[in-house]
Amino acid sequence: MKIRPKIALYEPDIPQNTAAIIRTCACLGSNIEIIQPCGFLLSDKRFKRVAMDYMDEKNIKFYKSYKDFFSSKKNERIILMTTKASDPYYKFKFKMNDTILFGRESAGVPDKIHKLIKIKLKIPMIKNKRSLNIASSVSIVLAENLRQNNFKNYGY
Ligand SMILES: C[S@@+](CC[C@H](N)C(=O)[O-])C[C@H]1O[C@@H](n2cnc3c(N)ncnc32)[C@H](O)[C@@H]1O
């Protein structure tokens, strides 16, 4: 099986954002991992339609809690994307099998999650801007991972 990057979402709030991220991951060849509880029902039409249309079931994984997520990652790096980091993502050397974790739309990730993760990166922004939309930030960082790894899973 091909090694793919993994985009993980911590308790996402907004089904349209999660759907957009699923579509990006499906088109660019990344797995997606969703840490529950979500702020919407997994049966939500807006979410389900995109998930079913775009994502192969084997490439989407749900965790019942953040504890389940962390215990499944003993041998892999988890990278937290947060506006609070000091290191910019473009100086970091990504591995194809990294798990890149994004916080929830309303509040990022809580302190307990910050404390569990060593590698934290930011996407630099113009001064005094709060944050990017989560789906935009996933696209930026996933594209950088794939670029650094020469899009090596692609057939062209
Ligand atoms: C809408 S933002 C969350 C905003 C939230 N109020 C906060 O303070 O973290 C959702 C997620 O997108 C990612 N994100 C957005 N802008 C980012 C940036 N400039 N650098 C790194 N991650 C970013 C982070 O993972 C963040 O938790």
Side-chain angles (χ1 to χ4, degrees):
M1 204 167 80
K2 281 182 177 162
I3 296 172
R4 296 156 59 107
K6 277 149 265 166
I7 296 298
L9 306 181
Y10 178 83
E11 301 186 359
D13 289 318
I14 302 175
Q16 295 94 323
N17 280 339
T18 303
I21 292 167
I22 286 176
R23 191 164 167 175
T24 300
C25 289
C27 291
L28 296 186
S30 170
N31 286 10
I32 180 150
E33 304 192 334
I34 297 179
I35 302 169
Q36 300 181 84
C38 300
F40 54 90
L41 295 174
L42 294 176
S43 57
D44 184 294
K45 268 200 302 210
R46 293 160 295 185
F47 168 77
K48 224 174 149 187
R49 200 163 135 220
V50 176
M52 279 167 42
D53 282 359
Y54 277 88
M55 208 73 182
D56 201 327
E57 244 176 70
K58 69 177 187 307
N59 297 325
I60 183 163
K61 194 166 177 182
F62 294 93
Y63 293 93
K64 285 214 160 54
S65 70
Y66 78 89
K67 288 184 180 155
D68 285 358
F69 171 76
F70 280 94
S71 60
S72 79
K73 298 283 174 190
K74 297 252 153 54
N75 303 314
E76 279 175 35
R77 299 196 302 187
I78 301 175
I79 294 149
L80 175 64
M81 294 307 302
T82 167
T83 53
K84 294 179 184 134
S86 25
D87 295 330
Y89 78 101
Y90 60 84
K91 289 195 174 160
F92 184 75
K93 180 71 196 99
F94 287 96
K95 292 182 186 166
M96 198 63 159
N97 73 338
D98 282 336
T99 296
I100 310 173
L101 177 65
F102 293 79
R104 65 190 309 184
E105 292 92 333
S106 52
V109 296
D111 280 352
K112 66 184 180 198
I113 303 294
H114 269 276
K115 284 182 186 142
L116 291 170
I117 301 177
K118 282 201 200 106
I119 307 171
K120 298 170 199 186
L121 302 175
K122 69 174 176 193
I123 303 164
M125 291 183 297
I126 300 294
K127 224 174 175 185
N128 299 329
K129 301 292 177 210
R130 277 204 308 268
S131 68
L132 288 152
N133 170 276
I134 185 173
S136 307
S137 57
V138 167
S139 300
I140 291 170
V141 178
L142 178 56
E144 176 63 10
N145 179 319
L146 296 170
R147 185 195 68 78
Q148 288 185 12
N149 289 292
N150 299 315
F151 284 75
K152 69 178 163 219
N153 284 346
Y154 290 70
Y156 51 78

